[in-house]
Amino acid sequence: MKWYELGEKAIVEVTKTDRQHGLTHKEVKARQQQQGFNELTEGEKKPAILVFVEQFKDFMVLVLLAATLISGLLGEYIDAIAIIAIVVINGFLGFFQERKAEKSLHALKELSAPQVAAMREGKWVKLPSKELVVGDIVKFSSGDRIGADLRIMEAKSLEIEESALTGESLPVAKQIKALPGDEVPLGDQDNMAFMGTLVTRGSGTGIVVGIGMKTAMGQIADLLQNAEVMITPLQRKLEQLGKILIVVALALTVLVVGIGVLQGHDLYSMFLAGVSLAVAAIPEGLPAIVTVALSLGVQRMIKQRSIVRKLPAVETLGCASVICSDKTGTLTQNKMTVTHLWSGGMTWRVSGTGYEPTGVFSREEREVDTRSEKPLQQLLVFGLLCNQTSISRKDKEYVIDGDPTEAALLVAAMKAGLTKENIQKQFTIIEEFPFDSTRKMMSVVIEDASNKRYVITKGAPDVLLVNSKNILWESRQQTLSVTVHNEVKGAIDQLASQALRTIAIAYRPLGDHESVHTENEAEKDLTFLGLQGMIDPPRPEVKQAVKECRDAGIKTVMITGDHVITAQAIAKQLGILPKNGQVLEGTDLSKMTQEELEEVVDDVYVYARVSPEHKLKIVKALQAKDHIVAMTGDGVNDAPAIKAADIGIAMGITGTDVAKEASSLVLLDDNFATIKSAIKEGRNIYENIRKFIRYLLASNVGEILVMLFAMILALPLPLVPIQILWVNLVTDGLPAMALGLDQPEDNVMKRHPRHPREGIFARGLGWKVVSRGFLIGAATLAAFMIVYDNDPDRLQYAQTIAFATLVMAQLIHVFDCRSEKSIFDRNPFQNLYLVGAVISSIILMLVAIYYPPLQPIFHTMAIAPREWLVILGLASLPTFLLAGSLLTRKPS
Ligand code: ATP
C-alpha cells in the first residue's frame, strides 16, 4: 500500500477508523486478534533444554563425569550415583540461576519500552506501543519515539530524525499533504512517520497504517536483532579472574595428586579426589551468582522507583562522586502556583495553593476585583491564550494535562473567573511556536473577532526583555528606556529572590498583511506586559538526601534553566549551595573555554539559565577532573549530556523517549531522593558481590589446602571425593547466594565513593581470602589429625570429623564475610536468608553424618557428642582468631 499517496479521507476509509474518537476497545481487541501485536518478532530463543545441557559443558565437570563413569564400571556404584546426583543438582542450580537472570533482564527491557498516546473511544490514553493496531489515532511530540508506521494527519513544526531507517542523520521536516508519484523513496515520504524514528521538534498526530513486522522497520528488523548483551566491568574482571582461578586450581590439584601419588597413594583414588577437588575449587558458578545478585539488586531498585536500563550502571552508581540534577521537578515538586503578578510598577498577590482554582487577588494588602485592574486582567488572559496545557477535575482533584508552569497560569486566570474555553471563543489561535528550553519562550498568533491578529509570547523574563522594544505601563505603551528596563529587572529580581519562578508575557499587534512563519519572525519587537511569579516548593525529602550524599562524599550540583536568583534561593534552602560555593550563569558558561570551566568546576554548585547544550560542557569538565558524573535530563537536547555522563539519568514521568533511551537509569518518580537510594543500592550490590566472592574463594582455598597439607604430611586423604562435592554444593552454594541478598552495612553512605578502577581484591579482600582460607584448611587438618592419630581403623571417623569441621568453619566464616571490619560489627540475625541457609546446611550435614542409609554414600560415621567440642572449637578458630586481631589487615 502506498499510504503517502492517499489523502486523509481515503486513509480513514481504508483503515476503517473514526478520525474524532479513534477505535473502540472492542474493535482494538478484534484487530489485535486478527493482526497480532505491534512487535518486531525476536530471534529464536535458546530452548530450555539447551541451557540445561550447557551447564555440563565445563571441562572439569566432563572429566568428573568420565571419572565417575569409570568408577561405576569398576563397581563403585554408590559413589558413582552419588557424584552424578550432585553434579546434576548443581546443573539444575546453574540452570535456574541463568534462567532467573535472563528473565529479570527481559522484564527490565519491557519496563523501559516506550509508551504512546492513542485515541481510544474519544479519550487520549497512554499505552505500550505493542498494543497499537492499524487505524489507531496517535499523537506525538518532540522527544517521542514513533511507535508504528503512521500517515501524518496534523503537523506543527514537526521534524523527525529517521537515521535508524534511512541513515540520514539530519531531521526531516514533515507535512500532511498527499504525495502523488509512483515510487517515492522512504526518505522522501514526508507525510509519513515510521516506527522507531525520533521526533526532534514540534508535534503532530497520525493514523497507524502499519504495525509489527509490516512496518518499514520490520523489513530490516533482522539487522537490529543482534543487540549485544551488556556485561558489567566487574563481570568482565571476574571472567578474567575465573580463567586465572581455573589455572591455579588445576595446578594446585595436580600438585595434590602428584604429591599424593609420590607419597604412595594409589593413582585411581587420587585421580578421583583430584578431579572432585578441581570441580569444587573452580568457582564456575561465580558469574551466574554475580548476574543474579545484580539482577536482584536491580529489582530492589525498581521497588525504590528507579529502573536500571544498562546493567553496568549498577556498579558505576557506587563510584559516583557528583550528581548534576535538574531543578524543576527533580529537586522541586513541579507543582506550580502563581502567587505574585507584576505589571507597570504594580504588584498583585493571589492566594491559594496547588491547582485548586480558588483564591483572591490583592494589591497593597487590599482585595481587588480583577475586572477593574486592566493590566492584571490582560496578564491573566494572555497567560491563558499562550498556553498548551489543560486542566480538569477528576475525583475532587484537579489534574493537568501538560506543563505545570502553564497550569499555574491557567489556575491563576481561573481564580479571576477566566477559563480557557470562554477566552478561546473570542480568539482563534492560528499559529503556535512551542516552548523549547534553548529559546526559553513560546508564542502563539491569535486572531480576534474583528480579524485583528496578535503575537503573544511568554517566557523567561530576561529573554523577553531582550526581545521587547516597548512596554505597557499602566495601559500606556512606552519605549523600553534604560530606566524602565532597570525597573523591570528590579521587579524580576525581587520575585526571584523569594525563590519564585518567573514568567514574563509580551505581545505584538500584527499588521494586516504581515505574515509570521517562524518563531524568529514572531518573537521580536514585542511589547512587554508583565510578570507572573510562581512558587514551586522543594520536595520535602530532598534536603536530607542532599545531606546524605554529602556524607557519602558525593557533591550535588543544581543545573537549571531558571533564573539565577531563583535557583540560588532554592539551592540555599536545600543545602546544595555552601557559603563559598559559586553560581555560574549560562551566558558565562558560553564564554568560558573548556579549560577555564575545568579550573572552577569544583567550586560551582549551581548553574542557572543554562541551555541543554551547556550540560555536556559541564559533564566533560567534571570528568576531566576525575569525577564520576551522574547527570539528569528529560528533553531531546539533554540526550548528549546524558549519554556522555558516567550515569545518565532520565525522568520517568516528564522524560522524553530520547532521554530515556540515552540514559542508564530512569527515575520512575523524577525525584532526586531516588538517585540517592539508587546509589546506596548500587554500593550495596557491589559490596555484596565482594562478600560472596570473599566467602567462596576463602572456602575454596581452605578445601585445596587441607588436601595439599595432608599430602605433604604423608597422611591419607582427609576428605573423600563425595564429601568435597557435597561441600561445594551445599556449604558453598546456599550461603553464598544469601550473602548476595545481604543488607547494607551502616556505613555504606558514610564512605567515599569507590574508585572506578579499584580491583576486586582491593581494600584487603585478597589478604582476607588467603588468611581465612589458610586457617580453614589448617583447622580442618588439625581436627583430622587429632582423631586419626595414625590409626587406619579410625580413618573413616577422622574423615567424618574433618568433613564436619570444614563445613562448620565455612558456616561460621560466612558471617565474618558480611562485614569489612569484623564479625562482631554486625548482628548475625539481621540477614534471615543467611541464617536460613546456614541452618539448612547444618541440617543437611547432620543428615549426611547420622542418617544410616546415607552413611555409606558419604563415607561418614556417627560422631560422638563430645567430639563436637573439638569440631566447633577448631571451626571457630579461623574466624575468631582473626576477628579484630592485627591479622585482619594486611601488614603494611
Ligand atoms: P530545570 O532545568 O531545572 O528542569 P527549568 O524548568 O527551570 O528547569 P526550562 O524548562 O528550560 O528550565 O525553563 C527555563 C525558563 O523558561 C523558565 O525559568 C521559565 O521562565 C521559562 N519557561 C518554562 N516553561 C515555559 C513555558 N511553558 N512557556 C514559556 N516559558 C517557559
Side-chain angles (χ1 to χ4, degrees):
M1 197 68 151
K2 290 175 185 148
W3 299 103
Y4 54 85
E5 271 184 357
L6 305 182
E8 174 167 337
K9 213 165 142 237
I11 300 272
V12 169
E13 247 163 54
V14 179
T15 58
K16 294 198 192 71
T17 188
D18 178 332
R19 186 70 182 82
Q20 249 66 50
H21 302 98
L23 299 171
T24 61
H25 296 306
K26 206 170 131 207
E27 183 60 30
V28 169
K29 275 253 152 55
R31 289 190 190 196
Q32 273 169 351
Q33 252 160 25
Q34 205 185 16
Q35 308 163 351
F37 281 107
N38 177 30
E39 287 174 307
L40 300 180
T41 40
E42 284 190 20
E44 290 287 299
K45 252 181 97 185
K46 218 191 268 177
I49 182 79
L50 211 73
V51 180
F52 181 65
V53 170
E54 277 181 5
Q55 304 300 320
F56 304 98
K57 68 170 199 251
D58 190 65
F59 175 70
M60 280 323 289
V61 174
L62 289 178
V63 175
L64 179 66
L65 286 176
T68 315
L69 200 70
I70 296 170
S71 72
L73 291 177
L74 291 173
E76 304 268 351
Y77 303 120
I78 297 181
D79 266 7
I81 291 170
I83 291 177
I84 288 174
I86 286 195
V87 170
V88 170
I89 295 174
N90 226 343
F92 268 112
L93 256 185
F95 169 74
F96 286 124
Q97 276 169 355
E98 204 163 294
R99 271 280 141 130
K100 184 155 179 61
E102 202 177 282
K103 264 204 195 127
S104 41
L105 290 182
H106 186 75
L108 273 188
K109 235 167 92 190
E110 296 251 299
L111 264 175
S112 47
Q115 299 255 320
V116 292
M119 172 74 82
R120 297 268 172 91
E121 295 190 352
K123 281 201 192 96
W124 287 113
V125 286
K126 279 238 156 199
L127 39 89
S129 61
K130 179 181 147 184
E131 301 196 359
L132 288 178
V133 294
V134 171
D136 261 327
I137 316 273
V138 293
K139 68 173 176 182
F140 43 84
S141 58
S142 164
D144 288 347
R145 197 172 273 283
I146 299 287
D149 281 2
L150 316 170
R151 172 67 169 82
I152 300 169
M153 294 291 130
E154 287 167 49
K156 283 182 196 153
S157 324
L158 181 62
E159 287 182 14
I160 298 184
E161 193 253 294
E162 302 179 329
S163 62
L165 212 53
T166 60
E168 171 58 54
S169 60
L170 282 182
V172 186
K174 295 285 179 177
Q175 55 90 35
I176 57 175
K177 282 197 223 77
L179 290 177
D182 246 1
E183 282 305 324
V184 182
L186 224 51
D188 294 339
Q189 296 180 14
D190 64 2
N191 56 12
M192 295 284 294
F194 300 103
M195 177 195 239
T197 57
L198 287 170
V199 184
T200 50
R201 187 156 182 269
S203 59
T205 58
I207 299 182
V208 175
V209 292
I211 58 162
M213 295 306 277
K214 297 222 174 78
T215 57
M217 192 60 95
Q219 324 267 314
I220 58 162
D222 289 346
L223 302 175
L224 304 172
Q225 244 148 54
N226 301 325
E228 54 175 326
V229 183
M230 264 209 254
I231 69 165
T232 76
L234 178 68
Q235 282 175 308
R236 196 167 311 121
K237 271 187 231 159
L238 279 178
E239 249 173 36
Q240 290 158 359
L241 175 74
K243 286 187 193 131
I244 299 170
L245 287 178
I246 290 178
V247 176
V248 174
L250 280 181
L252 286 172
T253 310
V254 170
L255 196 65
V256 170
V257 175
I259 298 176
V261 173
L262 283 181
Q263 302 275 28
H265 287 281
D266 78 286
L267 187 61
Y268 168 70
S269 62
M270 276 318 294
F271 177 66
L272 197 57
V275 176
S276 307
L277 192 59
V279 169
I282 294 167
E284 73 288 336
L286 208 53
I289 304 190
V290 171
T291 312
V292 172
L294 283 170
S295 58
L296 285 179
V298 165
Q299 280 163 22
R300 280 199 300 275
M301 286 164 83
I302 293 176
K303 284 200 192 113
Q304 293 161 18
R305 326 230 16 93
S306 52
I307 294 184
V308 174
R309 291 192 65 254
K310 297 174 188 153
L311 212 46
V314 180
E315 277 165 38
T316 325
L317 272 171
C319 308
S321 58
V322 177
I323 308 174
C324 295
S325 173
D326 282 340
K327 172 178 72 68
T328 311
T330 312
L331 297 168
T332 65
Q333 300 181 11
N334 206 6
K335 271 211 184 107
M336 317 264 179
T337 315
V338 173
T339 56
H340 291 69
L341 297 100
W342 178 95
S343 179
M346 283 186 280
T347 305
W348 295 269
R349 301 194 63 161
V350 53
S351 63
T353 51
Y355 295 133
E356 178 84 38
T358 45
V360 282
F361 289 82
S362 59
R363 179 152 61 92
E364 289 160 8
E365 311 282 318
R366 261 201 299 274
E367 196 172 318
V368 294
D369 181 354
T370 49
R371 281 167 301 184
S372 53
E373 309 272 307
K374 198 155 176 246
L376 171 62
Q377 182 86 353
Q378 213 165 2
L379 206 51
L380 292 169
V381 169
F382 282 7
L384 272 189
L385 283 170
C386 189
N387 198 316
Q388 293 174 314
T389 299
S390 63
I391 187 159
S392 58
R393 199 174 172 155
K394 234 183 233 162
D395 307 330
K396 290 195 186 146
E397 260 201 50
Y398 286 86
V399 284
I400 64 163
D401 180 13
D403 176 3
T405 305
E406 297 191 344
L409 304 180
L410 283 184
V411 173
M414 284 158 84
K415 286 175 182 170
L418 301 160
T419 65
K420 211 172 179 180
E421 291 71 30
N422 284 341
I423 296 295
Q424 282 184 351
K425 276 183 202 143
Q426 301 166 36
F427 300 94
T428 335
I429 293 171
I430 31 188
E431 189 87 61
E432 272 177 13
F433 301 103
F435 175 77
D436 85 58
S437 36
T438 306
R439 247 165 66 239
K440 296 191 172 49
M441 47 188 172
M442 73 157 284
S443 305
V444 290
V445 179
I446 57 162
E447 192 174 82
D448 66 11
S450 56
N451 292 347
K452 196 133 183 46
R453 293 173 307 140
Y454 299 85
V455 172
I456 303 177
T457 305
K458 74 173 197 303
D462 31 334
V463 181
L464 245 63
L465 261 184
V466 174
N467 292 20
S468 294
K469 211 162 100 186
N470 302 311
I471 184 164
L472 204 65
W473 198 277
E474 290 175 11
S475 301
R476 273 206 316 277
Q477 182 161 318
Q478 303 181 2
T479 42
L480 199 61
S481 65
V482 178
T483 344
V484 179
H485 196 283
N486 286 342
E487 199 158 335
V488 179
K489 271 206 137 158
I492 299 170
D493 291 353
Q494 170 67 22
L495 294 182
S497 62
Q498 300 169 55
L500 296 177
R501 178 179 175 82
T502 46
I503 294 281
I505 294 175
Y507 70 99
R508 176 162 63 95
L510 287 178
D512 284 346
H513 301 291
E514 190 179 353
S515 55
V516 281
H517 298 295
T518 64
E519 53 236 10
N520 286 344
E521 284 170 2
E523 294 160 352
K524 61 174 189 196
D525 300 339
L526 299 166
T527 300
F528 197 92
L529 178 60
L531 304 167
Q532 301 208 26
M534 49 192 83
I535 46 161
D536 177 14
R539 287 177 181 269
E541 60 281 33
V542 167
K543 194 170 178 186
Q544 172 66 16
V546 169
K547 183 181 174 300
E548 278 178 51
C549 284
R550 193 176 324 112
D551 291 345
I554 304 163
K555 172 181 170 186
T556 305
V557 174
M558 174 193 281
I559 301 187
T560 177
D562 219 333
H563 193 276
V564 59
I565 299 178
T566 313
Q568 216 167 347
I570 294 183
K572 273 194 194 137
Q573 280 177 18
L574 291 172
I576 290 175
L577 185 64
K579 273 217 178 74
N580 305 325
Q582 277 191 38
V583 180
L584 259 192
E585 272 192 272
T587 41
D588 302 329
L589 260 179
S590 301
K591 285 184 217 138
M592 288 175 140
T593 63
Q594 193 67 36
E595 290 73 32
E596 282 166 343
L597 179 58
E598 280 165 29
E599 255 168 53
V600 295
V601 76
D602 275 324
D603 300 322
V604 181
Y605 289 78
V606 176
Y607 295 87
R609 276 286 186 257
V610 294
S611 298
E613 297 74 48
H614 291 132
K615 286 185 168 180
L616 186 62
K617 200 168 172 180
I618 299 171
V619 169
K620 290 209 167 131
L622 284 165
Q623 284 173 333
K625 292 294 226 170
D626 275 339
H627 282 293
I628 299 294
V629 186
M631 166 71 87
T632 70
D634 47 17
V636 186
N637 303 340
D638 289 336
I642 293 183
K643 238 186 219 151
D646 301 278
I647 307 153
I649 304 175
M651 299 301 141
I653 304 171
T654 55
T656 54
D657 292 342
V658 181
K660 286 182 194 163
E661 284 166 28
S663 71
S664 40
L665 190 77
V666 176
L667 305 181
L668 287 176
D669 56 2
D670 293 12
N671 189 344
F672 176 84
T674 305
I675 306 177
K676 180 220 71 190
S677 314
I679 288 181
K680 185 171 177 186
E681 196 56 66
R683 287 187 175 193
N684 187 36
I685 293 172
Y686 190 86
E687 288 310 315
N688 283 353
I689 292 176
R690 269 171 64 93
K691 287 176 197 169
F692 63 67
I693 290 178
R694 169 178 167 193
Y695 172 67
L696 279 181
L697 294 189
S699 299
N700 292 352
V701 168
E703 288 154 26
I704 292 185
L705 287 187
V706 64
M707 301 292 269
L708 185 63
F709 294 155
M711 294 305 101
I712 292 172
L713 296 176
L715 293 166
L717 285 176
L719 296 161
V720 296
I722 187 77
Q723 290 166 348
I724 298 174
L725 293 172
W726 189 98
V727 171
N728 181 43
L729 177 69
V730 181
T731 323
D732 294 355
L734 285 178
M737 284 208 246
L739 275 180
L741 296 170
D742 207 19
Q743 290 81 357
E745 283 189 77
D746 295 339
N747 62 352
V748 282
M749 288 301 270
K750 300 254 156 37
R751 298 179 217 153
H752 274 257
R754 190 179 81 243
H755 195 282
R757 281 190 295 280
E758 176 187 294
I760 302 170
F761 294 118
R763 288 181 273 143
L765 195 86
W767 167 245
K768 280 182 183 144
V769 166
V770 174
S771 59
R772 288 351 184 238
F774 176 88
L775 285 180
I776 290 174
T780 308
L781 191 69
F784 176 78
M785 283 167 71
I786 292 171
V787 180
Y788 175 59
D789 206 15
N790 274 335
D791 178 357
D793 287 342
R794 290 181 45 95
L795 177 59
Q796 191 165 341
Y797 191 58
Q799 282 170 335
T800 311
I801 300 265
F803 171 62
T805 312
L806 179 64
V807 170
M808 288 315 298
Q810 292 191 7
L811 293 183
I812 294 170
H813 171 235
V814 76
F815 289 100
D816 191 29
C817 296
R818 293 184 62 221
S819 171
E820 295 272 326
K821 283 184 257 159
S822 115
I823 189 168
F824 302 115
D825 225 44
R826 305 203 65 186
N827 171 5
F829 297 104
Q830 189 185 24
N831 182 349
L832 290 179
Y833 296 108
L834 186 61
V835 174
V838 166
I839 292 177
S840 338
S841 295
I842 292 177
I843 293 174
L844 288 172
M845 171 193 70
L846 293 177
V847 172
I849 292 174
Y850 287 104
Y851 184 51
L854 288 182
Q855 286 171 340
I857 298 178
F858 288 104
H859 298 260
T860 48
M861 289 166 77
I863 297 174
R866 69 187 152 77
E867 226 87 69
W868 280 104
L869 284 180
V870 179
I871 293 171
L872 292 178
L874 282 169
S876 22
L877 267 188
T879 300
F880 292 109
L881 193 67
L882 291 181
S885 83
L886 278 179
L887 285 172
T888 347
R889 243 157 263 117
K890 191 176 177 177
S892 49

